[in-house]
Amino acid sequence: MSAVELKGVERRFALGQKTLAALGPIDLTVARGEFVCLVGPSGCGKSTLLNLVAGLDRPDSGEVRVEGDIVRETSPDRIMVFQDGGLFPWLDVRQNVEFGLRVAGMPEAERRNRVDQLLAQVHLSAFAGARVHQLSGGMRQRVALARALAPKPRLLLMDEPFAALDAQTRDRLGIELQEIQAATGTTILFITHNLREAGCLGDRVLLMSGRPGRIIRELCIDLPRPRRIEDEGLIDTIRPLMADLRREVDAMAVS
Amino acid sequence: MTDHWLARQLRRLVMILGLTVIWALFSRFGPWPPYLLPGPFEVGQALLAGMSDGSIARGVLVSLKRLVLGFGISVMIGVVIGLLNARFALMRETLGLLVLGLQALPSICWLPLALLWFGLNESAVIFVVVMGSLLSVALAVEDAVRHIPMIYLRAARNLGASGLTLYRSVVLPASLPTVVSGLKQGWSFAWRALMAGELLFVGPGLGRLLMLGRDLNDMAQVIAIMLVIVAIGLAFDRVVFSRIER
């Protein structure tokens, strides 16, 4: 059974009197443990697609299945990681990470162990008691990642999680994310507008068209892991998609 | 740090002294005779007299009891109305409009009705206090809850929080800062409503002492009571609310 399966998924939004076809139709299958990156011009419906898989939104037609079941609502089995983290500023780092565990009613001692282990995994053990506003952007995204991993989701949905970070931090987090995925086997659906980042992280890169977003190209990346953004061969691998992405971005810009 | 604090207190002291001197001069040489505008010395005497015979303490106690009771009721009902208005569009379009409209009505306008409904007693004045602050508390709560960033709610729901847990763990802490400033405003409205009510009303509150001073032509007492009212307002703002805000 595949981790994610979309069949004929479409999403439209009301825009005054008119309806705007935002997404689809989309057919997509993601295997368990696969790292899939979605690239496309901004406004192409990438985030909409992720919301549909998360269950934060419903498709107008078609169906979204995760682990065989039709998605009807959100679940801690599929966790979103947002661009600005969406951390709770009234909680400290530890409390943020344990949020999902607390809600699920995990006993105190067990929770403590799990959070310690997660914080170690994202290299933030020393910052357990820090407040969100004391952290740098990269640290916030690490906390967001730990918080997302806490309930042991089978699927991580990452919406441009590193887009607001500086280049060095982004590369560092990219490597850490690959390590985490190798350790946990979590399936990841990752949105970015950066083709290089997509090629660096993904087992498969999907290129989306401008609105209404459809998947127009697909590329499997066979390079060994962990990959770095400056790896030789990466550029050559993603080159076939570059012209297509540029065309879609230009088309969206004038539409 | 300490020097800075000391300098600030000194500046304050100098300013207060300066104002007091101006007040004394104005009382002596101003357009009104001193029995209409008593100076700091006379007011100080009235203050001491009121304190030693216990009338000020009694007045403060009675007024604060009414204020706390009235404000407490406002908060309880206001929070519920605010939450309902924030949650249900139907409530917002109906009850919300009423709340907004009634907020424009000075709460003392309720006194004639309150007197008929409750009679000339404690309940009437407390009702006026409630009407003074209830609506602004309700509006503040509604506003606070509706302006919680969506991302917090989405993240929390995604992590499995729903219903009461969502309210307790996200809606409450995320809206608290706005709610507290709303409560602060509600408190000052309640205070005003109470004074207006007490001026027109029997009973041993501070407002009554003000009117008593007028009736006895004792302007020193009137000003002394006004100073007490100001001091209480300041004390609550500085001590209670600033502590909650921190």
Coordinates of all heavy atoms in Angstrom, one line a residue, chain A residues 156-233:
Chain A
L156 N 5.4 13.3 6.9 CA 5.7 14.7 7.3 C 5.3 15.6 6.0 O 5.8 15.2 4.9 CB 7.2 14.9 7.6 CG 7.7 14.8 9.0 CD1 9.2 15.2 9.0 CD2 6.9 15.7 9.9
L157 N 4.6 16.6 6.3 CA 4.2 17.5 5.2 C 4.9 18.9 5.4 O 4.6 19.6 6.4 CB 2.7 17.7 5.2 CG 1.9 16.4 5.1 CD1 0.5 16.6 5.5 CD2 2.1 15.8 3.7
M158 N 5.9 19.2 4.6 CA 6.7 20.3 4.9 C 6.5 21.4 3.8 O 6.8 21.2 2.7 CB 8.2 19.9 5.0 CG 8.4 18.7 5.9 SD 10.1 18.3 6.2 CE 10.6 19.5 7.4
D159 N 6.0 22.6 4.3 CA 5.6 23.7 3.4 C 6.7 24.7 3.4 O 6.7 25.6 4.2 CB 4.3 24.2 3.8 CG 3.7 25.2 2.8 OD1 4.4 25.4 1.8 OD2 2.6 25.6 2.9
E160 N 7.6 24.6 2.5 CA 8.8 25.6 2.4 C 9.4 25.8 3.8 O 9.6 27.0 4.2 CB 8.3 26.9 1.8 CG 7.7 26.7 0.4 CD 7.8 27.9 -0.5 OE1 8.8 28.6 -0.3 OE2 7.0 28.1 -1.3
P161 N 9.8 24.8 4.5 CA 10.2 24.9 5.9 C 11.5 25.7 6.0 O 11.7 26.3 7.1 CB 10.4 23.5 6.4 CG 10.6 22.7 5.2 CD 9.9 23.4 4.1
F162 N 12.3 25.7 5.0 CA 13.6 26.4 5.1 C 13.7 27.7 4.3 O 14.8 28.3 4.2 CB 14.8 25.4 4.7 CG 14.7 24.1 5.4 CD1 15.2 22.9 4.7 CD2 14.2 23.9 6.6 CE1 15.2 21.7 5.3 CE2 14.2 22.7 7.3 CZ 14.7 21.6 6.6
A163 N 12.6 28.1 3.8 CA 12.6 29.2 2.8 C 13.1 30.5 3.4 O 13.6 31.4 2.8 CB 11.2 29.4 2.2
A164 N 12.8 30.7 4.7 CA 13.1 32.0 5.4 C 14.5 31.9 6.0 O 14.9 32.9 6.7 CB 12.0 32.3 6.4
L165 N 15.2 30.9 5.8 CA 16.6 30.8 6.5 C 17.7 31.2 5.5 O 17.6 31.2 4.3 CB 16.8 29.3 6.9 CG 15.7 28.7 7.8 CD1 16.0 27.3 8.1 CD2 15.5 29.5 9.1
D166 N 18.8 31.5 6.1 CA 20.0 31.9 5.3 C 20.5 30.6 4.7 O 20.3 29.5 5.2 CB 21.0 32.6 6.1 CG 21.6 31.7 7.3 OD1 22.5 30.9 7.0 OD2 21.0 31.8 8.4
A167 N 21.3 30.8 3.6 CA 21.8 29.6 2.8 C 22.5 28.6 3.6 O 22.2 27.4 3.5 CB 22.6 30.1 1.7
Q168 N 23.4 29.0 4.5 CA 24.2 28.0 5.3 C 23.3 27.2 6.2 O 23.4 26.0 6.3 CB 25.3 28.7 6.2 CG 26.4 29.3 5.4 CD 26.1 30.6 4.7 OE1 25.1 31.2 5.0 NE2 26.8 31.0 3.7
T169 N 22.4 27.9 6.9 CA 21.5 27.2 7.8 C 20.6 26.2 7.1 O 20.3 25.1 7.5 CB 20.6 28.2 8.6 OG1 21.5 29.2 9.1 CG2 19.8 27.5 9.7
R170 N 20.2 26.7 5.9 CA 19.3 25.8 5.1 C 20.0 24.5 4.7 O 19.5 23.4 4.8 CB 18.9 26.6 3.8 CG 17.8 25.9 3.1 CD 17.4 26.6 1.8 NE 17.6 28.1 2.0 CZ 17.7 28.9 1.0 NH1 17.6 28.5 -0.3 NH2 17.8 30.2 1.2
D171 N 21.3 24.7 4.3 CA 22.0 23.5 3.9 C 22.2 22.5 5.0 O 22.0 21.3 4.9 CB 23.4 23.9 3.3 CG 23.2 24.7 2.0 OD1 22.1 24.8 1.5 OD2 24.2 25.3 1.6
R172 N 22.5 23.1 6.2 CA 22.8 22.3 7.4 C 21.5 21.5 7.7 O 21.5 20.3 8.0 CB 23.1 23.3 8.5 CG 23.5 22.7 9.8 CD 24.7 21.9 9.8 NE 24.4 20.6 10.4 CZ 25.1 19.5 10.1 NH1 26.0 19.5 9.2 NH2 24.7 18.4 10.6
L173 N 20.3 22.2 7.7 CA 19.1 21.6 8.1 C 18.7 20.5 7.0 O 18.1 19.5 7.4 CB 18.0 22.6 8.2 CG 18.0 23.4 9.5 CD1 16.9 24.5 9.6 CD2 17.9 22.5 10.7
G174 N 19.1 20.8 5.8 CA 18.8 19.8 4.7 C 19.5 18.5 5.0 O 18.9 17.4 4.9
I175 N 20.7 18.6 5.5 CA 21.5 17.4 5.8 C 20.9 16.7 7.0 O 20.7 15.5 7.0 CB 23.0 17.8 6.1 CG1 23.6 18.2 4.7 CG2 23.7 16.6 6.7 CD1 24.9 18.9 4.9
E176 N 20.5 17.5 8.0 CA 19.9 16.9 9.2 C 18.6 16.2 8.9 O 18.3 15.1 9.4 CB 19.7 18.0 10.3 CG 21.0 18.4 10.9 CD 20.9 19.6 11.9 OE1 19.7 19.8 12.3 OE2 21.9 20.3 12.2
L177 N 17.9 16.8 8.0 CA 16.6 16.3 7.7 C 16.8 14.9 7.0 O 16.0 13.9 7.2 CB 15.8 17.2 6.7 CG 14.4 16.8 6.4 CD1 13.5 16.6 7.6 CD2 13.7 17.8 5.4
Q178 N 17.8 14.8 6.1 CA 18.1 13.6 5.4 C 18.4 12.5 6.5 O 18.0 11.3 6.4 CB 19.2 13.7 4.4 CG 18.8 14.6 3.2 CD 20.0 14.7 2.3 OE1 20.5 13.8 1.7 NE2 20.4 16.0 2.1
E179 N 19.3 12.9 7.5 CA 19.7 11.9 8.5 C 18.5 11.5 9.3 O 18.3 10.3 9.6 CB 20.7 12.6 9.4 CG 22.0 12.8 8.8 CD 22.9 13.8 9.6 OE1 22.5 14.3 10.7 OE2 24.1 14.0 9.2
I180 N 17.6 12.4 9.6 CA 16.4 12.1 10.4 C 15.5 11.1 9.6 O 15.0 10.1 10.1 CB 15.6 13.3 10.8 CG1 16.4 14.0 11.9 CG2 14.2 13.0 11.2 CD1 15.8 15.4 12.3
Q181 N 15.4 11.4 8.3 CA 14.5 10.5 7.5 C 15.1 9.1 7.4 O 14.4 8.1 7.5 CB 14.3 11.1 6.1 CG 13.1 10.5 5.5 CD 13.2 10.2 4.0 OE1 14.2 10.4 3.4 NE2 12.1 9.8 3.4
A182 N 16.5 9.1 7.3 CA 17.1 7.8 7.2 C 16.9 7.0 8.5 O 16.7 5.8 8.5 CB 18.6 8.0 7.0
A183 N 16.9 7.7 9.6 CA 16.7 7.1 10.9 C 15.3 6.6 11.2 O 15.0 5.6 11.8 CB 17.2 8.0 12.1
T184 N 14.3 7.4 10.8 CA 12.9 7.2 11.1 C 12.1 6.5 10.0 O 11.1 5.9 10.3 CB 12.2 8.5 11.5 OG1 12.3 9.4 10.4 CG2 12.8 9.2 12.7
G185 N 12.6 6.7 8.8 CA 11.8 6.1 7.7 C 10.5 6.8 7.4 O 9.6 6.3 6.7
T186 N 10.4 8.0 7.9 CA 9.2 8.8 7.7 C 9.1 9.2 6.2 O 10.0 9.5 5.6 CB 9.2 10.1 8.5 OG1 9.6 9.8 9.8 CG2 7.9 10.8 8.5
T187 N 7.8 9.1 5.7 CA 7.6 9.6 4.3 C 7.5 11.1 4.4 O 6.9 11.6 5.3 CB 6.2 9.0 3.8 OG1 6.2 7.6 4.1 CG2 6.1 9.3 2.4
I188 N 8.2 11.7 3.4 CA 8.2 13.2 3.4 C 7.7 13.8 2.1 O 8.1 13.4 1.0 CB 9.6 13.8 3.8 CG1 10.0 13.3 5.1 CG2 9.6 15.3 3.7 CD1 11.4 13.8 5.5
L189 N 6.7 14.7 2.2 CA 6.3 15.5 1.1 C 6.7 16.9 1.4 O 6.3 17.5 2.4 CB 4.7 15.4 1.0 CG 4.1 15.5 -0.3 CD1 4.7 14.4 -1.3 CD2 2.6 15.2 -0.2
F190 N 7.6 17.4 0.5 CA 8.4 18.6 0.8 C 8.1 19.7 -0.3 O 8.4 19.4 -1.5 CB 9.8 18.3 0.9 CG 10.7 19.4 1.4 CD1 11.2 19.3 2.7 CD2 11.1 20.4 0.6 CE1 12.1 20.3 3.2 CE2 12.0 21.4 1.0 CZ 12.5 21.3 2.3
I191 N 7.7 20.8 0.1 CA 7.4 21.9 -0.9 C 8.6 22.9 -0.9 O 9.1 23.2 0.1 CB 6.1 22.6 -0.6 CG1 4.9 21.8 -0.9 CG2 6.1 23.9 -1.4 CD1 3.6 22.5 -0.7
T192 N 9.0 23.2 -2.1 CA 10.0 24.3 -2.2 C 9.9 25.0 -3.5 O 9.3 24.5 -4.4 CB 11.5 23.7 -2.0 OG1 12.4 24.8 -2.3 CG2 11.7 22.6 -3.0
H193 N 10.4 26.2 -3.6 CA 10.4 26.8 -4.9 C 11.8 26.8 -5.5 O 12.1 27.3 -6.5 CB 9.9 28.3 -4.9 CG 10.6 29.1 -3.9 ND1 10.0 29.5 -2.7 CD2 11.8 29.6 -3.9 CE1 10.9 30.2 -2.0 NE2 12.0 30.3 -2.7
N194 N 12.7 26.1 -4.7 CA 14.1 26.1 -5.1 C 14.4 24.7 -5.7 O 14.5 23.7 -4.9 CB 14.9 26.3 -3.8 CG 16.4 26.4 -4.1 OD1 16.9 25.7 -5.0 ND2 17.1 27.1 -3.2
L195 N 14.7 24.6 -6.9 CA 14.9 23.4 -7.6 C 16.1 22.6 -7.1 O 16.1 21.4 -7.0 CB 15.0 23.7 -9.1 CG 14.9 22.5 -10.1 CD1 13.7 21.6 -9.8 CD2 14.9 23.0 -11.5
R196 N 17.1 23.4 -6.8 CA 18.4 22.8 -6.3 C 18.1 22.1 -4.9 O 18.6 21.0 -4.7 CB 19.4 23.9 -6.1 CG 20.6 23.6 -6.9 CD 21.6 24.6 -6.7 NE 22.9 24.0 -6.3 CZ 24.0 24.4 -6.8 NH1 24.1 25.4 -7.6 NH2 25.1 23.7 -6.5
E197 N 17.4 22.8 -4.1 CA 17.0 22.2 -2.8 C 16.2 20.9 -3.0 O 16.4 19.9 -2.4 CB 16.2 23.2 -1.9 CG 15.9 22.7 -0.6 CD 15.2 23.7 0.3 OE1 14.2 24.3 -0.2 OE2 15.6 24.0 1.4
A198 N 15.3 21.0 -4.0 CA 14.5 19.8 -4.2 C 15.3 18.6 -4.7 O 15.2 17.5 -4.2 CB 13.4 20.2 -5.3
G199 N 16.3 18.9 -5.6 CA 17.1 17.9 -6.1 C 18.0 17.3 -5.0 O 18.4 16.1 -5.0
C200 N 18.4 18.2 -4.1 CA 19.3 17.8 -3.1 C 18.6 16.8 -2.1 O 19.2 15.8 -1.6 CB 19.8 19.0 -2.3 SG 20.8 18.6 -0.9
L201 N 17.3 17.1 -1.8 CA 16.6 16.4 -0.7 C 15.8 15.2 -1.3 O 15.7 14.2 -0.6 CB 15.7 17.3 0.0 CG 16.4 18.5 0.8 CD1 15.3 19.4 1.4 CD2 17.3 17.9 1.9
G202 N 15.2 15.3 -2.5 CA 14.2 14.4 -2.9 C 14.7 13.1 -3.5 O 15.8 13.1 -4.1
D203 N 14.0 12.0 -3.3 CA 14.2 10.8 -4.1 C 13.6 11.1 -5.4 O 13.9 10.5 -6.4 CB 13.5 9.6 -3.4 CG 14.1 9.3 -2.1 OD1 15.3 9.3 -2.0 OD2 13.3 9.0 -1.2
R204 N 12.5 11.9 -5.4 CA 11.8 12.2 -6.6 C 11.4 13.7 -6.6 O 11.0 14.2 -5.5 CB 10.5 11.4 -6.6 CG 9.8 11.3 -8.0 CD 9.1 10.0 -8.2 NE 8.2 9.7 -7.0 CZ 6.9 9.6 -7.1 NH1 6.3 9.9 -8.2 NH2 6.2 9.3 -6.0
V205 N 11.5 14.4 -7.7 CA 11.2 15.8 -7.8 C 10.0 15.9 -8.7 O 10.1 15.4 -9.8 CB 12.3 16.7 -8.3 CG1 11.9 18.1 -8.4 CG2 13.5 16.6 -7.3
L206 N 8.9 16.5 -8.3 CA 7.8 16.7 -9.1 C 7.7 18.2 -9.5 O 7.7 19.1 -8.6 CB 6.5 16.3 -8.4 CG 6.5 14.9 -7.9 CD1 5.2 14.6 -7.2 CD2 6.6 13.9 -9.1
L207 N 7.5 18.5 -10.8 CA 7.4 19.9 -11.2 C 6.0 20.2 -11.4 O 5.3 19.5 -12.1 CB 8.3 20.1 -12.4 CG 8.3 21.6 -12.9 CD1 9.0 22.5 -11.9 CD2 9.0 21.6 -14.3
M208 N 5.5 21.3 -10.8 CA 4.1 21.7 -11.0 C 4.0 22.8 -11.9 O 4.8 23.7 -12.0 CB 3.4 22.0 -9.6 CG 3.1 20.7 -8.8 SD 2.4 21.1 -7.2 CE 0.8 21.6 -7.7
S209 N 2.9 22.9 -12.7 CA 2.6 24.0 -13.6 C 2.0 25.1 -12.8 O 1.7 25.0 -11.6 CB 1.6 23.5 -14.7 OG 0.3 23.4 -14.0
G210 N 1.9 26.3 -13.5 CA 1.2 27.4 -12.9 C -0.3 27.1 -12.8 O -0.7 26.0 -13.2
R211 N -1.1 28.0 -12.2 CA -2.4 27.7 -11.9 C -3.3 27.3 -13.1 O -3.2 28.0 -14.1 CB -3.0 29.0 -11.2 CG -4.2 28.8 -10.5 CD -4.7 30.1 -9.8 NE -3.7 30.8 -9.1 CZ -3.3 32.1 -9.5 NH1 -3.9 32.7 -10.5 NH2 -2.4 32.7 -8.8
P212 N -4.2 26.4 -13.0 CA -4.3 25.4 -11.9 C -3.2 24.4 -11.9 O -2.8 23.9 -12.9 CB -5.7 24.7 -12.2 CG -5.8 24.8 -13.7 CD -5.1 26.1 -14.1
G213 N -2.6 24.2 -10.7 CA -1.4 23.4 -10.6 C -1.6 22.0 -11.0 O -2.5 21.3 -10.5
R214 N -0.8 21.5 -11.9 CA -0.8 20.1 -12.2 C 0.7 19.6 -12.2 O 1.6 20.4 -12.3 CB -1.3 19.9 -13.7 CG -2.7 20.3 -13.9 CD -3.1 19.9 -15.3 NE -4.5 20.2 -15.6 CZ -4.9 21.4 -16.1 NH1 -4.0 22.3 -16.3 NH2 -6.2 21.6 -16.3
I215 N 0.8 18.3 -12.1 CA 2.2 17.8 -12.1 C 2.6 17.6 -13.6 O 1.9 16.8 -14.3 CB 2.3 16.5 -11.4 CG1 2.0 16.8 -9.9 CG2 3.7 15.9 -11.5 CD1 1.8 15.6 -9.0
I216 N 3.6 18.3 -14.1 CA 3.9 18.3 -15.5 C 5.2 17.5 -15.8 O 5.4 17.1 -16.9 CB 4.0 19.7 -16.1 CG1 4.9 20.6 -15.3 CG2 2.6 20.3 -16.3 CD1 5.2 21.9 -16.0
R217 N 6.1 17.4 -14.8 CA 7.3 16.7 -15.0 C 7.7 15.9 -13.7 O 7.3 16.3 -12.6 CB 8.5 17.6 -15.3 CG 8.4 18.4 -16.6 CD 8.9 17.7 -17.9 NE 10.1 16.9 -17.7 CZ 11.2 17.2 -18.4 NH1 11.4 18.3 -19.1 NH2 12.2 16.3 -18.3
E218 N 8.4 14.9 -13.9 CA 8.8 14.1 -12.8 C 10.2 13.6 -13.0 O 10.6 13.2 -14.1 CB 7.8 12.9 -12.7 CG 8.2 11.9 -11.6 CD 7.1 10.9 -11.4 OE1 5.9 11.1 -11.8 OE2 7.4 9.8 -11.0
L219 N 11.0 13.7 -11.9 CA 12.4 13.3 -12.1 C 12.9 12.5 -10.9 O 12.7 12.9 -9.7 CB 13.3 14.6 -12.2 CG 14.7 14.4 -12.5 CD1 14.9 13.9 -13.9 CD2 15.4 15.7 -12.3
C220 N 13.4 11.3 -11.1 CA 14.0 10.5 -10.0 C 15.4 10.9 -9.8 O 16.2 11.0 -10.8 CB 13.8 9.0 -10.2 SG 12.1 8.5 -10.2
I221 N 15.8 11.1 -8.5 CA 17.2 11.4 -8.3 C 17.9 10.2 -7.6 O 17.5 9.8 -6.6 CB 17.3 12.6 -7.3 CG1 16.3 13.7 -7.7 CG2 18.7 13.1 -7.1 CD1 16.8 14.7 -8.6
D222 N 18.9 9.8 -8.3 CA 19.6 8.5 -7.8 C 20.9 8.7 -7.1 O 21.6 7.8 -6.8 CB 19.8 7.6 -9.0 CG 18.7 6.6 -9.1 OD1 18.0 6.4 -8.0 OD2 18.4 6.0 -10.2
L223 N 21.2 10.0 -6.8 CA 22.5 10.3 -6.2 C 22.6 9.7 -4.7 O 21.5 9.6 -4.1 CB 22.7 11.8 -6.1 CG 22.7 12.4 -7.5 CD1 22.8 13.9 -7.4 CD2 23.9 11.9 -8.4
P224 N 23.8 9.3 -4.3 CA 23.9 8.8 -2.9 C 23.6 9.8 -1.8 O 23.8 11.0 -2.1 CB 25.4 8.3 -2.9 CG 26.1 9.1 -3.9 CD 25.1 9.4 -5.0
R225 N 23.2 9.4 -0.7 CA 22.9 10.3 0.5 C 24.0 10.1 1.5 O 24.6 9.0 1.6 CB 21.5 9.9 1.0 CG 20.4 10.3 0.1 CD 19.1 10.1 0.8 NE 17.9 10.4 0.0 CZ 17.4 11.6 -0.2 NH1 17.9 12.6 0.4 NH2 16.3 11.7 -1.0
P226 N 24.1 11.0 2.5 CA 23.4 12.3 2.5 C 24.0 13.2 1.4 O 25.2 13.3 1.2 CB 23.7 12.9 3.9 CG 25.0 12.2 4.3 CD 25.0 10.8 3.7
R227 N 23.2 13.9 0.7 CA 23.6 14.8 -0.3 C 23.8 16.2 0.2 O 23.1 16.6 1.2 CB 22.6 14.9 -1.4 CG 22.2 13.6 -2.0 CD 21.2 13.7 -3.1 NE 20.5 12.5 -3.4 CZ 19.2 12.4 -3.6 NH1 18.4 13.5 -3.6 NH2 18.7 11.2 -3.9
R228 N 24.7 17.0 -0.4 CA 24.9 18.4 -0.1 C 24.5 19.2 -1.3 O 24.6 18.7 -2.4 CB 26.3 18.6 0.3 CG 26.7 17.9 1.6 CD 28.2 18.0 1.8 NE 28.5 17.5 3.2 CZ 28.4 18.3 4.3 NH1 28.1 19.6 4.1 NH2 28.6 17.8 5.4
I229 N 24.1 20.4 -1.0 CA 23.7 21.3 -2.0 C 24.7 21.6 -3.1 O 24.5 21.8 -4.3 CB 23.1 22.6 -1.4 CG1 22.1 23.3 -2.4 CG2 24.2 23.6 -1.1 CD1 20.7 23.0 -2.1
E230 N 26.0 21.5 -2.6 CA 27.1 21.8 -3.6 C 27.7 20.6 -4.3 O 28.6 20.7 -5.0 CB 28.2 22.6 -2.9 CG 29.0 21.8 -1.9 CD 28.4 21.7 -0.5 OE1 27.3 22.2 -0.3 OE2 29.1 21.3 0.5
D231 N 27.0 19.4 -4.0 CA 27.5 18.2 -4.6 C 27.6 18.3 -6.2 O 26.7 18.8 -6.8 CB 26.6 17.0 -4.3 CG 26.9 16.5 -2.9 OD1 27.9 16.9 -2.3 OD2 26.1 15.6 -2.5
E232 N 28.7 17.8 -6.7 CA 28.8 17.7 -8.1 C 27.8 16.7 -8.6 O 27.4 15.8 -8.0 CB 30.2 17.2 -8.6 CG 31.2 18.4 -8.7 CD 32.5 17.8 -9.1 OE1 32.6 17.3 -10.2 OE2 33.5 18.0 -8.3
G233 N 27.3 17.0 -9.8 CA 26.3 16.0 -10.4 C 24.9 16.5 -10.1 O 24.0 16.1 -10.9

